[in-house]
Amino acid sequence: MKSFNYHSAKDSKEASKLSSSNSAFLAGGMTTIPSMKLGLASYKDIIDIKGIKKLSGIKVSGKSVIIGATTKHVEVANSKDVKKAIPSLALLAEGIGDPQVRNRGTIGGSIANNDPSADYPSACVALDAIVHTNERKIEASKFFKGMFETALKKGELIEAIEFKVPEKSSYQKHPNPASRYAVVGVYVAKHKNGTIVAVTGAKPCVYNDKDLSKALDSNFSANSISGMKLKSSDMNSDIHASAEYRANLVVIQAKKAVEAC
Amino acid sequence: MTEITLDVNGKKIKKTVPDNTLLSTFLREHLNLTGTHVGCDTSQCGACVVHVNGESLKSCTTLAADIGNAKVTTIEGLEKNGKMHPMQEAFKKMHGLQCGFCTPGMVMSAIDLLKKNKNPSDNEIRDWLEGNICRCTGYQNIVAAVKEASSKM
Ligand SMILES: Cc1cc2nc3c(=O)[nH]c(=O)nc-3n(C[C@H](O)[C@H](O)[C@H](O)COP(=O)(O)OP(=O)(O)OC[C@H]3O[C@@H](n4cnc5c(N)ncnc54)[C@H](O)[C@@H]3O)c2cc1C
Ligand code: FES
Ligand code: FES
């Protein structure tokens, strides 16, 4: 691993002041450290944000669940408040990687990284989340831009993610048996004003499947989407699953999610 | 360079190391605690699992500088007065190891499980050990060892 200078920031202001075109924030490090070790990334400055008190913690009000950026997966998985308000979100967190990844990895790091197979981006889209940064508020539908790409500007720090509490919801993933990342994961959330079907793992970036959402809006049942054929031409294809397999898996997982709602 | 102050297996440690020093490197190369193994570059094998303030984590994916004044326990810190920890005894008794490369991580991870769940089912043990890969045993005896330990701890 190339050398760098380690800084621990006291507050968001200091963190963004320290950041440059050659720096990275360090949260759980579960993505940043392996990529530096493999030589896929290198930085002059690593800015640890875990010491910033304000960035960690879970707040639930009637209509929303606000999770601080450095809140760990294990904390979301075990939170009584999250389990009560949005049980599917706690279950999603519990299904990430393994216990040691969950003991370190954070929600902010996960969505900033926007891995095409990561779990949390689907929760953000399905639960119509708002990403609070040190500069602005960004709707989830505008936050995830493409493969490993988000609307964040250089040095912009995620402070919290605000999820809308749905009427009902469920996340179902077909995990890669080694890493637990989603081969395909589908997050179905029924809100007062409509259903969102957020899909991860299938395309280069998380997306809301409008065909499935529309079908579920007119009739919220597994039957109404059973046998639907999705276009596979823009889906991922790799050694784990072909595009056609993924297209089919999206419908299967969506059905499971509707049944579990 | 950063000054690292840690409590490792009950001993106070103070050392100045480069900022990019991983906790696994710090333990193995600066403290000669080579019981903590490094089996991969991708944070997936779990051979490097240690306890930091009582929680299990992958020392290969943690900077030494990043854990402050923490209390670290490695596999070397488990024995008491020359007696193995019940988890170590159980791995020995149930043949939960062959080459032993994955074993330190397995043992540290399994102890963390029993702290949270005193009487885990086979499935809960397998689920928990998701992040620990063994090339030798086929896992059956590892699960049996954790069960055995849970009846003794
Ligand atoms: C073995 C293994 C298995 C895994 N399995 C899964 C899985 O099944 N599902 C899944 O979804 N993920 C999985 N992950 C990824 C895991 O969830 C990571 O924790 C996560 O992707 C990154 O979070 P982190 O806190 O570790 O971020 P870091 O590695 O610290 O940072 C990642 C990136 O985000 C940036 N960043 C971090 N915090 C902020 C912030 N607040 N504001 C702006 N930028 C920020 C960093 O600068 C960096 O570029 C796995 C990882 C490993 C190693
Ligand atoms: S050496 Fe740490 S996970 Fe493999
Ligand atoms: S005993 Fe050889 S790797 Fe597990």
Side-chain angles (χ1 to χ4, degrees):
Chain A
M1 187 160 57
K2 293 223 173 98
S3 65
F4 52 73
N5 300 310
Y6 171 88
H7 313 268
S8 178
K10 278 184 296 300
D11 51 37
S12 299
K13 235 192 192 148
E14 190 186 1
S16 55
K17 215 169 144 194
L18 284 166
S19 77
S20 71
S21 58
N22 200 359
S23 71
F25 295 128
L26 181 72
M30 298 309 297
T31 296
T32 308
I33 293 177
S35 30
M36 287 196 294
K37 278 164 59 177
L38 292 171
L40 301 172
S42 68
Y43 306 98
K44 192 169 147 281
D45 296 291
I46 287 289
I47 306 154
D48 194 344
I49 56 170
K50 290 190 294 299
I52 307 175
K53 291 239 160 54
K54 186 181 137 192
L55 297 192
S56 171
I58 298 169
K59 266 183 264 153
V60 178
S61 70
K63 286 182 240 103
S64 65
V65 172
I66 303 176
I67 302 182
T70 60
T71 309
K72 295 172 195 159
H73 306 332
V74 65
E75 293 166 324
V76 176
N78 291 341
S79 159
K80 283 201 182 79
D81 291 338
V82 177
K83 280 186 192 170
K84 199 164 151 221
I86 317 180
S88 57
L89 188 58
L91 281 172
L92 174 147
E94 198 182 299
I96 294 175
D98 56 56
Q100 289 74 34
V101 168
R102 297 194 289 275
N103 273 346
R104 294 291 283 175
T106 70
I107 186 168
S110 174
I111 70 164
N113 193 47
N114 193 19
D115 188 297
S117 315
D119 295 307
Y120 268 129
S122 72
C124 294
V125 172
L127 302 172
D128 205 8
I130 297 166
V131 180
H132 297 237
T133 77
N134 57 338
E135 295 179 17
R136 56 193 168 136
K137 293 180 183 177
I138 312 170
E139 292 163 37
S141 58
K142 299 194 178 114
F143 181 84
F144 301 101
K145 292 279 210 193
M147 195 158 161
F148 294 109
E149 198 191 332
T150 68
L152 288 175
K153 290 180 281 183
K154 198 70 213 170
E156 190 171 2
L157 184 71
I158 302 171
E159 295 192 322
I161 300 102
E162 179 177 350
F163 296 96
K164 204 183 273 168
V165 176
E167 289 177 353
K168 47 188 178 177
S169 63
S170 169
Y171 177 64
Q172 299 289 327
K173 81 165 153 175
H174 184 80
N176 175 308
S179 71
R180 299 279 135 175
Y181 272 107
V183 175
V184 163
V186 179
Y187 208 129
V188 173
K190 189 172 185 297
H191 298 275
K192 240 198 202 99
N193 58 354
T195 300
I196 303 178
V197 181
V199 180
T200 188
K203 292 189 182 183
C205 183
V206 63
Y207 73 102
N208 173 11
D209 195 297
K210 296 275 163 58
D211 294 333
L212 291 171
S213 311
K214 224 160 104 194
L216 289 174
D217 262 339
S218 53
N219 175 11
F220 194 84
S221 74
N223 264 342
S224 74
I225 53 172
S226 189
M228 259 176 85
K229 290 262 174 298
L230 303 182
K231 203 167 87 192
S232 66
S233 55
D234 53 354
M235 292 212 177
N236 302 334
S237 195
D238 54 32
I239 52 164
H240 305 296
S242 68
E244 295 76 21
Y245 184 82
R246 279 194 164 85
N248 187 52
L249 204 49
V250 172
V251 179
I252 305 274
Q253 299 302 111
K255 272 170 60 186
K256 276 195 193 161
V258 171
E259 276 161 3
C261 264
Chain B
M1 303 292 275
T2 303
E3 187 181 81
I4 314 277
T5 319
L6 290 175
D7 174 317
V8 180
N9 299 331
K11 256 209 214 130
K12 292 261 175 295
I13 306 279
K14 200 182 248 188
K15 272 188 191 288
T16 301
V17 298
D19 288 12
N20 66 349
T21 306
L22 296 166
L23 179 58
S24 52
T25 310
F26 186 73
L27 294 169
R28 290 178 54 84
E29 293 174 22
H30 296 263
L31 305 182
N32 288 328
L33 292 171
T34 51
T36 297
H37 291 170
V38 174
C40 74
D41 258 341
T42 50
S43 309
Q44 281 181 312
C45 77
C48 63
V49 170
V50 300
H51 294 178
V52 172
N53 296 330
E55 299 281 342
S56 59
L57 56 72
K58 302 188 192 201
S59 61
C60 76
T61 318
T62 305
L63 298 175
D66 169 342
I67 56 170
N69 293 304
K71 198 169 167 310
V72 179
T73 308
T74 70
I75 190 83
E76 290 94 340
L78 292 182
E79 57 98 19
K80 282 220 170 80
N81 307 320
K83 269 196 75 178
M84 280 195 279
H85 186 279
M87 188 63 77
Q88 292 172 303
E89 286 283 3
F91 267 71
K92 183 175 169 218
K93 180 170 168 201
M94 307 309 286
H95 302 284
L97 62 145
Q98 286 184 28
C99 80
F101 195 86
C102 69
T103 314
M106 288 281 179
V107 167
M108 298 312 284
S109 183
I111 290 173
D112 193 16
L113 167 65
L114 293 193
K115 259 195 255 163
K116 290 170 173 107
N117 182 350
K118 287 196 170 27
N119 210 353
S121 66
D122 281 20
N123 270 344
E124 286 169 330
I125 295 170
R126 285 176 190 277
D127 244 20
W128 182 270
L129 294 178
E130 170 64 34
N132 294 85
I133 294 174
C134 176
R135 294 164 303 172
C136 305
T137 64
Y139 301 99
Q140 304 290 3
N141 291 354
I142 292 174
V143 176
V146 180
K147 278 228 125 145
E148 164 78 12
S150 77
S151 70
K152 298 273 156 66
M153 279 169 68

